[in-house]
Structure formats: structure tokens, C-alpha cells
Amino acid sequence: MAFKTEHFMLNVGPQHPSTHGVFRMRFTLDGEVIVDLEPIFGYLHRGIEKLAEDRTYTQNIPFTDRLDYLASMTSNQAYCMAVEKLAGITVPERAEYIRVIMSELQRIASHLAGIGFFLQDLGAFMTPLLYMFREREKIVDLFDMVCGQRLNYNYLRFGGLSQDIPPEFIPALKKLVNALPGFIDEYDRLISENEVFLVRTKGVGILSREMAISSAAAGPVLRGSDVNWDIRKSNPYSVYDRFEFDIPVAKTGDSFDRYWVRLQEMRQSVRIIEQAIEQLPEGDVQAKVSRLLKPPAGDAYVSIEGPKGEIGFYLVSDGSVKPYRWRVRPPCFINLTTLRDIIIGWKVADAMVIFGSIDIVLGEVDR
Amino acid sequence: MTAALSAPDLAARLEKEFPGAIVESNADSLVVDSVKLPDIASFLKNTPELDFDYLTNLTAVDYKEHFELVYHLLSISRNHSLTLKTRCYDRENPTVPSLVALWNAADLQEREVYDLFGIVFSGHPNMKRIFLWEGFPGYPLRKDFGDGV
Amino acid sequence: MTMPLIGSDALSYAEALPPDWPGSFWAHIFFWVILLILFITVIVLLFTWLERRWLGRLQIRPGPNRAGPFGLLQPIADVFKLLLKEDIVPDKADKWVHWLAPVVALAPALLVFAVIPFQDGALLADLNIGILFILAVSSMVVIGVFMAGWGSSNKYSLLGAMRTIAQEISYEIPLVLSIVGVIIISGTLSLNEMVKAQQDVAFIFVQPLGFIIYITAALAEVARTPFDLIEADSELVAGFHTEYSGMKFALFFLVEYAETLAVAAIATTLFLGGWQGPFLPPWMWFIIKLFAVFMFIIWVRGTLPRLRIDQVMGFAWKFLLPLALINVVITGVEVLAWPDAPLLALGIINLVVAAVLVLLMSKLFKLGGGRVPV
């Protein structure tokens, strides 16, 4: 007698421990093997792009905080750079350096949270997450010091920053930067050679190089798939051309590689911050910009390398105080394009691992 | 440094391949006829010295009398970029050919544009709303959304 | 007076009771049942507290520290919270199965303690087949868990329950085989006799490989990390008890910890010398060892990620089972060839064998599985 089996549907989310917010996936399962997957978006859609059309350029900076709320600084920076390009504003050098320091700190903080949650999805009960948050806490304290906020920083302004860094910032930063390589080594030692971690992530969810490029995957997802592409190198914005750093690239494109790229990127970020502290010039941190900015009519697209990937802003101005069109290029959302292709054929447990290795923040996916 | 390709130069070359397809070309963007869009996109992607293998960003803008679709193309191997635009004048049933077959990245982004602008991408395998639910009245990112309320 | 309840030596063990013991057989049973239930409840409460404090320490955070000194009253507060919570039964659930499942799961988990000796002769029933009784009874918990998964009419529960069946039945085999080594050496099935056989050397030194296999298989039996797929929170929300709330959930919680307690108690009895130990009273040694094993289990939980279901199964059948079989054969040969060998000598031989085997197997062992073409 032959067994008669049938596929069944399993709904994961929007309320589920490992969907990183309110993402929903509808699996069709054959036993535990996923034969089909439909990602369902929109549970956190707040219509930010529409709302932004009704506010002035400056009023829109807080919206960028609320996109990827684990990486507000880089969203701030991308938006400010887009407006600066549109309005032709030049940023004082000191402000550029501080921006670089902030976005590299943000990259480390975001990767720490990303790796922590990734391991949480793997079933490592909270320990790695809390260890990661130990360092993230220190970075968040530094952000608190410069802008009084711990999550939605709203620190950057067109043509500079909302305020200069306080005098106690640099010593605290130096202390952290000196300690960070040790911590990163500790994570490397604890995680990267853990047998269970390796069998769960090596070869799981392989995203091929062609697929990664065709799907416009960005950030660690792209670099995990053997594509040497980092906007900080390929199109150096701000003052990134003055620093020495490497782009970690991994070969296979599996979940482990995406994790590995993140870990190595943290080391490079530390290097950049070290150099930035040394080169940090004195001077103003804010260019003279009209309070009620009216950029000339036209459009501009600027993208920078955020922690999750290429975060870009496409702005259209009609010469008024409000943007005519305010579009975000959301790396988290676009990285999910391949989700279906790389998850199919794996088991439910692997789906969470693969999903976690992409490292998304729903605030940016749904906007 | 990512070099933005000069649109007029490229326009001259494309005009030879696809006569009448180029609507407009200014310093930083190239506007093409939406009917010829897939052919031009395919040419841009498959010509070795252009090699636009990476569709960075896809979006639309509602200019009231027409929709403008904006494609930010990038070549990873050659590190140059191009802004490709096309226009759609029909407000009732706006339809533009889909580019999913060329760049997988267009998949979710075209669905997003459909959801928020109501522009249908013909040839897209799964043209459904993405953020809003089926049956949501109107298309929010259109400039006339909410006018009649 | 005494009546032969189980086995033929009921009389003899009634005689073995301490002289000041309440004489009647039924008084003995009554006393022990009450004591065991109290003991299990109290220890489980302490376990939940210890687990959270100790995990907190592993995870650089304080853990619960508000209710009472060191947060010791936290478990009591939790019990009250669970008792007061509404009991929700899903609409489409199989009401009877859903209701019965926690009870079915709890009974065998408690039964195990009937044969565990707290000190010499201090146990509910010194069965001459004690260890077989434990193995038989403890596998019945699976039925309750599967009833919970089936009766909830929830797909997460069902997946969790299916994983339970697969996993627990697979790990039963290496678990039993790892104990066979101890049985061969001690020459008895009675747990009390086994503890007495460890007078000089605890069996962990005589059967190192057996202990490793036992503790690994036991972790899988009670669904503890890295084998906690049954209630894998990042995949199946809460596995088989997703749809349980209030008191029924509390019962499952109790089952889970009682099972862990049972596993710790068996490990203590079979491998760590049970109640044997200097200076302190025997029952205190027993409890200390119990807590040591439990803290080891939590330590593993705080350290390792979870395996995937096919990897878990592969590990049982391809890694633990051959090792357990080899261990049984080697132990048997040793006992036959050198009947009155000092235990320590056997221990040294076994330690070397264990080290070689584990290293060799980890080189040879490859986990298969991966992407399934669909």
C-alpha cells in the first residue's frame, strides 16, 4: 500500500517569534519541506512616502529614522545627502568626518543586532543576542551622548549636523574602539567554530552570484555571494576615499557567508573609525542653509552603503518647500526579492535561518 | 567612482538601434518610449560594453498629466550608472511592459508601483497588491488620491 | 501485614526498611506518594528559579530578582499567575484529547520517581527491575505530548508532536543501550543495588562513553537544547503546547521539568554514585548531584544553538547508536574476560576506548540532508 500524502499550508506570522516584526510567510509544506512560499508584506505599512509629500524637507528627517530603526544614522545620512545634492549644499569637513564615524558606529550596532537575532533564530536561547547587545548598548550610549536619543537619532541636518559632538565623546569613543576588536574576536571564537552553528548554516540557503546581482541584493547579502561591491569603495561618498579599509567578500553565498561578511565588516568599521578619529579636523559642523529649504526643481538619486545594503533616496522637487516625490530605495525590501527562491526545498527550521541571515527590519520593508 | 553615463551620447547610439524610441535625453537621464522599453532595456543589459546588470531602483512619479517611471541602472562590472525613464500618459488604464524577465529585482518593486500608483506592468508573473489589501480604494501615491473625499 | 504487590521480594524490602519506619506497607506507600509529589513540586519550582537565575548569569543579566530574596518567590508568583489565567480551548480542538493530554503526560513523568533511591532503601518501591520500569514508563510521556499536538488542531502543535514522536523514539535506543553497560557491570536491574555497586567508584569513571551517550540522548528525550525542536520557539512558536494556557500549560511545564528532574535523577543514580558521598547525609548528596546535573543541562541550553530535525535523527542513528552498541560489546567482553577486574582498571581502559571512538566517529560522521529538490 502506498502512502497517500498531501501538502499542507502553514501560516507563519505576522505574529511569530522569528519574523523580525510583522512579516508574514505562507508556506506550503510537504512534511517539513517547503515546496512553496508566499511572502506577504504590508503589516507595518504606514505610508511614509505619501506622508513625506505633505511635509517640508526638514520635517521629513525623522521619517528616515523610522525606516530602518536599527540603523537610523545611515538613513539620515542618505536622505540628507540626497537633499544636499538637490539643493547644491556643501557640507563642512568636520561634519563629514563625524557623519562617517556615526554611520560606521551604526553599522557595527546594526550588525551586532543582526548577528544576535540571527543566532536567536537558530535556537541559541538569547545568549548570543545578549552578548551582542552588551556592545550595542555602549554604541547606543555614544549616540545618546551626541543627540540625546537611543534609537531614532534625527541627528543629521542638511549641510551638517544638528550639533557638534560634546567634548567627552571622543575619549569615550576611543575607549570603545580600543575594546571592540577584542569583543569581535570573542564572537568569532564563540560562534564561527561552533559545530552546531556550522551544520545549520554552511550551505544553507545559497544565493548564487547571478541571482544576487539580478535581484539587486545589496550589502552583506550581495557580498556574501561573491560580488565585490561596496558603495563606500565603488563610489566613495562623503570622505570615504581618505580611509584605508577592505571589503570582505565571501564565495558561496550561504547563510554562513552572510554572517561572516557582517562579522568582518565590523572589524573594517573599527578601522575606519580609528582613522577618522585621527584625521578629525576642527571647524564648523553646519553649513549655512536656509531654514525653509526650497531646492530648485529637478530630481536627484543618492545612495549610500547602509548596514543592510544600498539605502538610497530618490527625490523630486518642484521648487516648493515640500518634496514632490519622496522615494526610498529600501535595501531590506529588495533583499527579500530572492527569499522565495532560496528558501524553497529547505525545511521549516532552515527557513528561519535563511530569513534571519538576510537581516531585515520591517520598518523599512513596509515603510 | 561610479561614472554616470552621458545620456545624450547613449541616446545617439540607441537612436541608431531603435529609431524613434528616444523621447528625450538630458544631462542625467534618458527618456524612452514605453513600448520600446523592454528592447532598449535588453540592449542596455546585454551589450558587453554597457553591461547594466543591476537594477538598483525602480519607482514612479505622478506628474498629474503623465506618470514617469524611473529606473536607476548600474553596471557592477564596469561601475557606471544610468537613469532610464519612461512615460505613461493613460491615467485610466496605465500599462507599462514589465522588466522582471531581465532583472529579477523588478519583481517586488513593480508590484509596489502597481500597488501605490495603479500602473499595471504587463508580463509580470504576479501582479498583485503588495502593501495594501486587495480592494483598497484608489492608489495612494497618485496626486489626486483623496481629492474626492 | 505486608502484601506482595510487585515482585516476590516485597516482604524482604519491607524488612529492609529502617526500624523506626512506620511499619505498614500501605503507610509506606502513602507516605512516599505524598513525599514524592511534594518533592517533585518543590524541586521543580526550585529548578525554574535556578534555571532563570543561572541562565541570567550565563547571559550577563541578573535574572528574576524582585520577588523575595534573590527572587526566590518568583516561581510561587508564576504558579499563582498560571492558576488564575483563563483556560482557553480552541474551538476546533478535540476537547477530550486536549483535556486529557496534560494528565496523560504528567502521570508517567511522576511514576519514574517511584524507583529512585534517595538513600539506602529509601524509595517507594525497590523493584528488582527498576531500570526497566523507568525506561518503559518514561517513554509514555510521548503519548501525552502527541495527544496535545493532535488535539489542539493547530499546525504548529502538530508539527511539534510529529517531531516528538520521531525524536523521542529514536533517542530511546541509544539511551537504553548506554544504560546496558551499567547493568552489565553492576549485574543488577535494581537502582538501589546499582548505587550500592558504586561504593568505591562512580560509574561515570567506569562507563565514560555510556555517560556521554546517556546525557546526550537524555537531553533529546526531555527536549532540551540543542534538541529542543519539539517546542522550537523560533520555528514552531511553542510546539505542542502552543494552544495550552493556564493550569493545563502549567501541567505541561511541570511535566517538562519533572522529566528533566527524572533524567537528572537517573544520571545521578546510574553514573554519579547516587546517594553515596562523604560527610553529608546521603539524601543531601543525592539532591546536590541532582542539581549539578541540572545545572549542566542549563549550561548546554545557554550555549548551543538548535539542530535541525534530520540532523537530530541522523545524530541518533548514525552517531550515538553505533557508539552505544560498541560500548555494550566492549563492556560485555571486559566483564567476561576479566570477571574480577578492579573497576578503576576497567575505567581506564574504557576512557581510552571512549576517547578514541569519539574522535574517530566525529571524523567519520557526516550529517547528510540539505536542500530537497522540489
Side-chain angles (χ1 to χ4, degrees):
Chain A
M1 193 189 92
F3 277 119
K4 190 170 168 292
T5 61
E6 56 183 57
H7 294 166
F8 78 105
M9 199 208 69
L10 180 71
N11 182 53
V12 174
Q15 310 294 339
H16 185 278
S18 57
T19 49
H20 295 235
V22 284
F23 189 61
R24 183 174 162 208
M25 290 180 274
R26 200 151 60 193
F27 294 127
T28 308
L29 299 181
D30 177 10
E32 286 227 13
V33 179
I34 295 164
V35 292
D36 198 11
L37 157 73
E38 187 190 352
I40 298 167
F41 304 84
Y43 288 90
L44 201 63
H45 180 62
R46 295 153 293 175
I48 285 184
E49 289 184 9
K50 183 72 178 177
L51 291 171
E53 288 175 8
D54 238 5
R55 279 157 179 75
T56 65
Y57 285 91
T58 320
Q59 282 173 333
N60 280 331
I61 302 177
F63 277 143
T64 62
D65 293 331
R66 281 148 184 82
L67 293 169
D68 180 353
Y69 42 77
L70 290 178
S72 303
M73 284 288 184
T74 42
S75 312
N76 274 187
Q77 195 186 359
Y79 175 56
C80 289
M81 282 171 62
V83 175
E84 282 152 12
K85 183 179 176 191
L86 202 58
I89 302 167
T90 39
V91 182
E93 204 168 56
R94 183 177 169 81
E96 290 281 22
Y97 273 94
I98 296 173
R99 282 182 180 190
V100 166
I101 292 174
M102 291 305 160
S103 62
E104 291 311 312
L105 280 177
Q106 185 69 82
R107 193 181 316 279
I108 298 173
S110 169
H111 283 348
L112 283 172
I115 294 174
F117 282 114
F118 174 46
L119 277 137
Q120 175 90 343
D121 288 349
L122 268 162
F125 181 74
M126 279 171 69
T127 315
L129 182 67
L130 286 160
Y131 271 71
M132 300 291 168
F133 268 53
R134 179 180 58 179
E135 268 66 68
R136 184 176 175 274
E137 202 57 27
K138 291 171 187 152
I139 296 173
V140 171
D141 283 345
L142 284 178
F143 287 151
D144 187 8
M145 205 183 277
V146 295
C147 64
Q149 283 278 10
R150 291 169 56 84
L151 196 65
N152 297 317
Y153 308 116
N154 190 16
Y155 179 53
L156 271 58
R157 294 287 181 277
F158 312 130
L161 312 163
S162 66
Q163 57 216 307
D164 200 350
I165 47 175
E168 67 270 23
F169 177 80
I170 292 291
L173 177 65
K174 275 185 179 155
K175 204 170 145 221
L176 175 69
V177 165
N178 287 334
L180 268 174
F183 287 125
I184 299 172
D185 286 341
E186 187 186 354
Y187 301 141
D188 207 357
R189 216 171 47 241
L190 287 175
I191 303 169
S192 304
E193 284 167 30
N194 183 317
E195 199 69 34
V196 180
F197 177 72
L198 290 179
V199 294
R200 285 300 303 279
T201 54
K202 279 264 184 195
V204 172
I206 293 179
L207 177 63
S208 67
R209 188 190 145 93
E210 292 69 37
M211 192 63 158
I213 293 178
S214 162
S215 309
V221 180
L222 184 68
R223 288 190 286 278
S225 297
D226 196 19
V227 184
N228 189 348
W229 182 261
D230 187 313
I231 302 174
R232 291 175 295 172
K233 277 274 191 220
S234 66
N235 184 21
Y237 53 92
S238 195
V239 286
Y240 274 105
D241 46 353
R242 303 183 196 174
F243 305 122
E244 257 181 51
F245 62 100
D246 303 318
I247 306 297
V249 178
K251 294 282 174 211
T252 38
D254 54 14
S255 304
F256 179 83
D257 281 354
R258 292 191 273 274
Y259 149 81
W260 184 86
V261 165
R262 285 193 185 100
L263 195 74
Q264 303 305 322
E265 267 183 20
M266 291 201 284
R267 293 183 206 275
Q268 301 304 327
S269 294
V270 173
R271 272 177 77 188
I272 296 175
I273 297 171
E274 278 168 352
Q275 295 170 50
I277 297 173
E278 268 178 28
Q279 300 176 15
L280 184 66
E282 292 298 319
D284 261 347
V285 293
Q286 177 66 47
K288 285 228 177 308
V289 178
S290 145
R291 290 264 159 177
L292 208 56
L293 190 67
K294 283 185 188 172
D299 61 351
Y301 175 75
V302 170
S303 64
I304 68 168
E305 187 71 30
K308 313 276 194 300
E310 176 177 355
I311 169 135
F313 278 85
Y314 177 67
L315 302 177
V316 180
S317 164
D318 57 356
S320 73
V321 293
K322 296 172 185 170
Y324 187 79
R325 172 88 173 96
W326 195 87
R327 149 81 181 174
V328 195
R329 185 226 185 254
C332 295
F333 177 61
I334 297 173
N335 282 352
L336 285 179
T337 309
T338 49
L339 186 69
R340 186 176 174 277
D341 305 274
I342 59 177
I343 278 188
I344 281 186
W346 292 99
K347 298 194 170 59
V348 182
D350 295 316
M352 303 309 168
V353 174
I354 297 167
F355 185 65
S357 74
I358 293 177
D359 185 20
I360 60 155
V361 167
L362 256 291
E364 191 176 275
V365 173
D366 286 347
R367 278 154 290 146
Chain B
M1 208 73 184
T2 308
L5 278 200
S6 156
D9 292 355
L10 196 59
R13 185 166 164 194
L14 285 172
E15 190 64 51
K16 263 186 262 157
E17 298 275 340
F18 308 98
I22 307 300
V23 179
E24 193 186 317
S25 70
N26 51 35
D28 49 32
S29 64
L30 185 68
V31 185
V32 300
D33 186 1
S34 70
V35 179
K36 294 270 174 56
L37 180 70
D39 297 335
I40 293 174
S42 165
F43 178 80
L44 289 173
K45 188 189 177 194
N46 296 326
T47 309
E49 67 265 29
L50 295 173
D51 195 21
F52 285 104
D53 47 7
Y54 194 91
L55 172 63
T56 315
N57 182 31
L58 187 169
T59 191
V61 187
D62 180 6
Y63 284 108
K64 294 197 176 97
E65 71 275 13
H66 66 267
F67 294 110
E68 189 166 86
L69 285 125
V70 188
Y71 301 84
H72 289 99
L73 300 176
L74 189 72
S75 167
I76 288 207
S77 52
R78 305 196 171 262
N79 199 2
H80 57 219
S81 66
L82 174 73
T83 307
L84 187 69
K85 293 180 179 173
T86 187
R87 285 174 190 160
C88 177
Y89 289 88
D90 187 355
R91 278 195 88 79
E92 293 307 309
N93 295 305
T95 307
V96 173
S98 168
L99 296 184
V100 176
L102 285 170
W103 293 288
N104 196 26
D107 184 352
L108 294 182
Q109 302 192 63
E110 283 181 354
R111 276 179 68 189
E112 186 190 338
V113 170
Y114 166 69
D115 189 4
L116 303 176
F117 286 92
I119 300 171
V120 174
F121 289 86
S122 55
H124 190 287
N126 185 20
M127 196 85 268
K128 288 199 300 191
R129 296 196 93 136
I130 186 162
F131 293 139
L132 302 167
W133 56 97
E134 293 296 331
F136 181 87
Y139 301 100
L141 277 183
R142 287 191 181 187
K143 287 289 173 186
D144 56 3
F145 177 75
D147 277 358
V149 181
Chain C
M1 199 188 80
T2 51
M3 50 194 296
L5 184 70
I6 313 150
S8 58
D9 56 348
L11 196 73
S12 65
Y13 93 71
E15 280 165 2
L17 293 177
D20 55 339
W21 210 259
S24 134
F25 182 80
W26 287 112
H28 169 77
I29 299 270
F30 183 73
F31 172 75
W32 270 99
V33 167
I34 300 286
L35 186 72
L36 280 180
I37 290 179
L38 275 179
F39 172 79
I40 291 166
T41 323
V42 170
I43 296 282
V44 164
L45 288 184
L46 271 176
F47 268 14
T48 57
W49 174 82
L50 180 71
E51 167 146 30
R52 291 154 80 176
R53 292 291 288 190
W54 173 232
L55 257 185
R57 188 45 61 88
L58 292 173
Q59 297 174 346
I60 44 174
R61 63 188 171 87
N65 60 356
R66 297 284 118 183
F70 308 108
L72 265 171
L73 296 181
Q74 185 68 40
I76 315 279
D78 286 341
V79 167
F80 275 108
K81 183 198 75 176
L82 284 171
L83 284 176
L84 294 174
K85 273 201 163 178
E86 189 191 351
D87 175 37
I88 300 166
V89 182
D91 247 8
K92 293 193 177 154
D94 191 334
K95 300 280 185 313
W96 276 101
V97 178
H98 187 266
W99 187 87
L100 267 177
V103 184
V104 172
L106 183 62
L110 298 183
L111 273 178
V112 170
F113 291 91
V115 293
I116 304 240
F118 287 74
Q119 63 184 52
D120 190 11
L123 70 173
L124 175 59
D126 189 5
L127 293 186
N128 52 6
I129 49 151
I131 190 69
L132 282 187
F133 172 78
I134 286 183
L135 295 173
V137 157
S138 63
S139 22
M140 274 165 57
V141 176
V142 181
I143 298 174
V145 169
F146 188 72
M147 280 167 74
W150 181 261
S152 305
S153 97
N154 176 317
K155 284 166 187 166
Y156 291 122
S157 304
L158 190 63
L159 274 175
M162 294 196 305
R163 286 178 177 187
T164 311
I165 298 281
Q167 179 179 329
E168 307 227 332
I169 289 176
S170 306
Y171 276 86
E172 204 90 320
I173 298 161
L175 186 86
V176 173
L177 286 174
S178 71
I179 292 174
V180 170
V182 175
I183 299 174
I184 293 176
I185 290 205
S186 65
T188 173
L189 289 171
S190 151
L191 288 165
N192 203 29
E193 296 302 315
M194 281 184 183
V195 176
K196 281 183 182 162
Q198 300 179 57
Q199 185 91 48
D200 306 319
V201 189
F203 283 158
I204 181 174
F205 302 112
V206 187
Q207 282 282 313
L209 189 56
F211 179 71
I212 295 170
I213 296 168
Y214 174 78
I215 206 80
T216 318
L219 281 177
E221 271 303 281
V222 297
R224 284 278 174 166
T225 334
F227 307 107
D228 60 340
L229 308 121
I230 290 162
E231 45 204 271
D233 55 335
S234 60
E235 300 148 29
L236 301 183
V237 189
F240 65 90
H241 58 64
T242 308
E243 294 289 358
Y244 281 86
S245 59
M247 199 53 218
K248 288 186 199 155
F249 172 75
L251 279 183
F252 270 123
F253 207 69
L254 185 63
V255 172
E256 196 178 302
Y257 279 84
E259 272 192 296
T260 317
L261 179 60
V263 156
I266 299 166
T268 307
T269 312
L270 294 186
F271 292 100
L272 300 177
W275 38 261
Q276 313 249 27
F279 310 126
L280 293 172
W283 57 269
M284 206 181 267
W285 269 113
F286 179 77
I287 291 179
I288 289 172
K289 288 173 182 173
L290 211 62
F291 272 89
V293 176
F294 184 66
M295 282 175 82
F296 171 78
I297 292 176
I298 304 172
W299 186 12
V300 173
R301 181 179 181 205
T303 318
L304 289 180
R306 183 184 302 126
L307 283 161
R308 200 170 59 204
I309 183 71
D310 56 315
Q311 294 166 341
V312 168
M313 304 294 284
F315 187 65
W317 292 101
K318 297 181 195 158
F319 189 90
L320 290 181
L321 184 60
L323 274 187
L325 280 172
I326 294 171
N327 187 43
V328 169
V329 171
I330 288 176
T331 314
V333 168
E334 279 169 358
V335 169
L336 282 180
W338 193 8
D340 29 61
L343 285 179
L344 216 52
L346 286 186
I348 291 164
I349 299 173
N350 280 345
L351 197 65
V352 175
V353 169
V356 170
L357 276 179
V358 169
L359 285 177
L360 200 67
M361 280 296 281
S362 10
K363 286 268 177 279
L364 294 176
F365 178 65
K366 284 274 175 295
L367 279 171
R371 193 171 184 280
V372 180
V374 284

